Amino acid sequence: MMNPLLEIAEVSVGQHYYWNIGEYQLHGQVLITSWVVLAIIFTLSFLGNRDLKTTPEGFQNFNEFVTEFVRDLAKTQIGEHDYLSWVPFLGTIFLFIFVSNWSGALLPYHLIEIPNGELAAPTNDINTTVALALLTSISYFYAGISKKGLGYFKRYVSPAAFLLPINVLEDFSKPLSLSFRLFGNILADELVVGVLVSLIPLIVPIPVMLLGVFTSAIQALVFATLAGAYIGEAVEEHH
């Protein structure tokens, strides 16, 4: 039987399963698990919308609950006049992160062997979280410019011109904080569970896994809420 300390030492962060396409390398394990997540979302959406009824039941009830939740989130963060067009974006971001995080906590990815590295939640990879954060940044720039035109950039010298460097730095820090917060929390949760399973395989890791399920949901909510808040800030009228 392997020494538990050696098992802990084998918990890796940087090993990946690469797909070589020409001169480029893709993180194959991230694409595999992302497809699993998208398949789960598609299946739930299909089941909830295939037989719509006036009085919702079953999966339709679940889908309407999620839709109302995202609508309320968008309305709260963006404002009553501008929120409706951003519901699809915030809903997509929230559902992808939510299902990704839960898939890492609930699906037995580690039982599936791949040539190198191991399968884990898509949000366990910094490339995924950075991509989501950059999409959010592009979205709030688009929202501000669409509503205010080039006048959107006046916010960088408001309320005073000497605040320009600070305001520019703030926009650069937003995607960094979004991506590293999500990545760090999901990675830390999976590492803690991996270490506990190596040391104490029975009973003790279960409460930590349940806590991980809870924090995974919170991380999805935090990301979507901040994305909505940034878009709301971009479209807000300053008087």
Side-chain angles (χ1 to χ4, degrees), residues 11-121:
V11 175
S12 60
V13 175
Q15 289 189 353
H16 298 283
Y17 172 48
Y18 291 106
W19 288 344
N20 295 311
I21 301 179
E23 299 179 354
Y24 300 96
Q25 287 187 325
L26 300 178
H27 285 193
Q29 83 280 0
V30 175
L31 292 177
I32 292 171
T33 53
S34 294
W35 292 337
V36 171
V37 168
L38 293 176
I40 293 172
I41 295 173
F42 174 80
T43 302
L44 292 175
S45 300
F46 175 76
L47 292 175
N49 292 281
R50 64 175 179 171
D51 185 22
L52 297 177
K53 299 178 181 179
T54 306
T55 303
E57 57 184 34
F59 281 104
Q60 182 185 344
N61 202 17
F62 171 75
N63 275 15
E64 291 194 9
F65 170 77
V66 173
T67 303
E68 286 299 318
F69 175 79
V70 175
R71 282 169 61 95
D72 290 342
L73 174 66
K75 187 175 182 179
T76 301
Q77 299 301 323
I78 300 176
E80 188 171 353
H81 299 292
D82 302 293
Y83 81 95
L84 203 56
S85 60
W86 290 100
V87 170
F89 174 74
L90 292 182
T92 302
I93 287 285
F94 173 75
L95 286 175
F96 181 79
I97 296 175
F98 183 87
V99 178
S100 294
N101 294 352
W102 270 35
S103 73
L106 299 177
L107 296 183
Y109 282 138
H110 297 290
L111 299 180
I112 303 173
E113 294 185 3
I114 56 177
N116 189 34
E118 59 183 19
L119 297 178

Side-chain angles (χ1 to χ4, degrees), residues 128-216:
T128 303
T129 60
V130 167
L132 293 171
L134 289 177
L135 278 175
T136 302
S137 294
I138 293 171
S139 296
Y140 68 71
F141 274 113
Y142 171 79
I145 294 173
S146 296
K147 184 167 184 178
K148 303 176 183 178
L150 295 179
Y152 168 75
F153 295 101
K154 291 180 180 179
R155 63 187 294 270
Y156 289 108
V157 292
S158 178
F162 68 85
L163 293 175
L164 174 65
I166 297 175
N167 290 329
V168 171
L169 182 61
E170 180 186 5
D171 272 345
F172 277 102
S173 66
K174 285 176 181 176
L176 287 176
S177 64
L178 282 174
S179 56
F180 280 101
R181 179 189 296 108
L182 179 59
F183 167 70
N185 279 282
I186 300 305
L187 177 63
D189 177 63
E190 294 199 359
L191 287 177
V192 167
V193 171
V195 169
L196 286 177
V197 170
S198 299
L199 288 174
I200 313 168
L202 299 175
I203 301 175
V204 173
I206 294 177
V208 179
M209 294 173 69
L210 293 176
L211 180 62
V213 169
F214 175 74
T215 56
S216 295

